[in-house]
Amino acid sequence: MTPQQLHGIALVRKRIDEIDNTVLDLLKERLDCARTIGKLKDESKRAKWDPQRELEIYERLRKNNADVFPPAALYSIFHEIITTCRLSQRKATVAYLGPEATFTHQAGVRYFGQTASYQPMESIPEVFQEVERERVQYGIIPVENSIEGAVTYSLDSFLLYKVQICGEIKLPINHNLVNRSGNMEDIKTVVSHSQALAQCRQWLRKHLPGVPAMPVFSTATAAKMAAEDPSLAAIASSLAITTYQLQVVVRGIEDFQGNKTRFLVLGDKSPSRCGNDRTSVVFGLINRPGALNEVLTILSAKGIDMTKLESRPAKNQLWQYVFFVDMVGHIEDPPVHEACNILKQICAYFEILGSYPAAEAAMPAD
């Protein structure tokens, strides 16, 4: 390089350093402002989290950016800034299905940011229990997969524990076959969570015929087992590869592209409306002809868009079922509020599980 070019690079680098220092000073000022707001909210006993305000920030930044800075990266940067500032008011503690590096852990980090305190649990019911007993502020659990459908342990736990849904996140799922050596010929058994095994069953059948598959508590448990036993291979997340120092045998072995899992955030109360919300309810029917059709007719008459309907056996009554419904709108919206009041009167059992910002309200397209 010529002396002029070297001098030019030095000048630009100096300017970058100046910009970085300015950004850092502004971040410190923003953090101080967030703490001041936190104190004012404490005085007025307002909720710390205002989802509508956060959505307004993201939308303003998106418009001002005009696609100059990569939109997904811009969201990621400001998501970390916003969550860090919010958590400075009170650091969030989050229970999740562990151990470290499960897809649930990954979803939690994406939702709450790196600065939250994460506590791994051995089972989904334990996550509910920690939230109900207020040993943590939040829990995060998988509720359905775009390929395999509902996570029944999660649905059944809503019938046992008193918690509220506070939010949701949809995470793209990429399954990796990993072991200690990185060689397929060393694999004697494949271990993973039952959902992960189901989402890769065709690939396993074709490429590892005759090799048994064994379900375990989580994908991270499987990764940990594979790190300890050279005869095992795990189906696990990218985060688990680095966490447990494993080698990749094959990346992306899921049977269907576009595979996503929806996770729910649990807490003690739902946030206020943001304008792009979902409400989840569960109900049991009086045993009479047309009872389910009556419920659906009420929702339709109120102009409510139902996005999910799932049935589960009622554990305390033989051959009786409860129904889980997700609908567009917040319980503060008059149509949703009115419909729920009617359903409370005509159903044998009815409970509002929560109103919360829809995942599409904040997350950019993948």
Side-chain angles (χ1 to χ4, degrees):
M1 298 181 100
T2 66
Q4 291 86 353
Q5 289 171 324
L6 290 171
H7 179 66
I9 289 173
L11 288 175
V12 175
R13 284 177 173 169
K14 182 181 178 184
R15 179 58 185 149
I16 288 174
D17 290 343
E18 292 171 350
I19 293 170
D20 288 345
N21 289 334
T22 300
V23 170
L24 179 59
D25 288 340
L26 291 173
L27 286 174
K28 290 189 287 187
E29 184 179 352
R30 194 189 195 286
L31 186 66
D32 187 56
C33 288
R35 287 171 175 162
T36 301
I37 288 174
K39 291 176 183 176
L40 293 171
K41 285 182 176 179
D42 283 339
E43 291 172 5
S44 61
K45 296 185 178 179
R46 286 184 59 188
K48 287 286 195 296
W49 183 31
D50 185 346
Q52 185 170 7
R53 165 65 178 160
E54 291 191 6
L55 292 174
E56 289 169 356
I57 293 172
Y58 290 128
E59 183 60 20
R60 172 174 52 79
L61 292 169
R62 186 189 66 79
K63 288 180 179 178
N64 291 343
N65 179 46
D67 288 334
V68 174
F69 198 89
L74 182 74
Y75 173 84
S76 179
I77 291 167
F78 274 92
H79 178 63
E80 200 66 41
I81 291 171
I82 290 168
T83 53
T84 298
C85 290
R86 171 160 40 87
L87 294 176
S88 72
Q89 300 170 12
R90 181 187 176 190
K91 190 172 183 178
T93 52
V94 184
Y96 68 94
L97 178 62
E100 185 181 3
T102 57
F103 286 108
T104 311
H105 183 202
Q106 194 173 321
V109 170
R110 185 170 176 185
Y111 193 90
F112 289 100
Q114 298 282 351
T115 52
S117 174
Y118 294 96
Q119 299 185 16
M121 299 292 128
E122 291 186 359
S123 68
I124 287 173
E126 284 184 68
V127 176
F128 278 81
Q129 191 176 81
E130 291 296 294
V131 175
E132 182 186 62
R133 295 184 180 180
E134 298 183 350
R135 289 197 282 249
V136 296
Q137 286 175 265
Y138 300 104
I140 186 160
I141 50 105
V143 68
E144 63 179 326
N145 177 263
S146 59
I147 305 302
E148 289 299 313
V151 180
T152 56
Y153 285 119
S154 295
L155 295 180
D156 291 344
S157 293
F158 278 111
L159 302 174
L160 301 174
Y161 301 96
K162 297 298 180 183
V163 299
Q164 285 283 291
I165 303 172
C166 302
E168 67 173 1
I169 178 173
K170 294 175 182 176
L171 187 72
I173 302 297
N174 300 112
H175 290 303
N176 305 291
L177 186 68
V178 298
N179 66 1
R180 277 172 49 173
S181 67
N183 298 321
M184 192 175 291
E185 55 268 22
D186 295 332
I187 301 171
K188 306 303 180 199
T189 305
V190 177
V191 292
S192 197
H193 188 273
S194 57
Q195 280 269 343
L197 291 171
Q199 292 162 27
C200 303
R201 64 164 67 94
Q202 293 180 25
W203 191 96
L204 293 173
R205 222 174 264 155
K206 180 178 178 181
H207 297 278
L208 289 171
V211 174
M214 182 173 72
V216 295
F217 284 119
S218 69
T219 54
T221 298
K224 188 176 181 181
M225 291 171 64
E228 296 168 354
D229 186 341
S231 71
L232 298 181
I235 299 174
S237 68
S238 298
L239 183 59
I241 297 169
T242 53
T243 301
Y244 298 102
Q245 299 181 329
L246 292 162
Q247 303 298 316
V248 177
V249 180
V250 183
R251 289 188 186 275
I253 67 168
E254 59 274 8
D255 293 331
F256 299 94
Q257 297 299 310
N259 182 11
K260 287 189 177 184
T261 293
R262 177 178 173 231
F263 298 85
L264 294 178
V265 179
L266 310 176
D268 61 350
K269 60 182 177 181
S270 295
S272 57
R273 71 187 300 275
C274 73
N276 187 2
D277 305 281
R278 278 200 176 88
T279 295
S280 296
V281 303
V282 58
F283 59 85
L285 298 172
I286 295 173
N287 189 15
R288 66 168 181 260
L292 179 57
N293 183 62
E294 187 178 358
V295 170
L296 301 181
T297 300
I298 290 167
L299 296 179
S300 177
K302 293 293 181 182
I304 296 171
D305 182 12
M306 186 175 64
T307 60
K308 178 183 174 65
L309 173 63
E310 190 85 35
S311 66
R312 290 291 298 150
K315 304 303 182 184
N316 57 349
Q317 290 181 294
L318 192 64
W319 309 122
Q320 295 295 312
Y321 292 83
V322 293
F323 296 85
F324 292 85
V325 167
D326 293 342
M327 62 186 84
V328 174
H330 195 279
I331 191 62
E332 296 172 2
D333 297 335
V336 176
H337 184 74
E338 292 165 8
C340 287
N341 281 341
I342 296 171
L343 296 184
K344 285 177 186 177
Q345 298 171 24
I346 68 169
C347 291
Y349 166 75
F350 182 86
E351 187 174 353
I352 299 170
L353 300 178
S355 291
Y356 47 92
E360 296 81 2
M363 296 294 176
D366 295 308

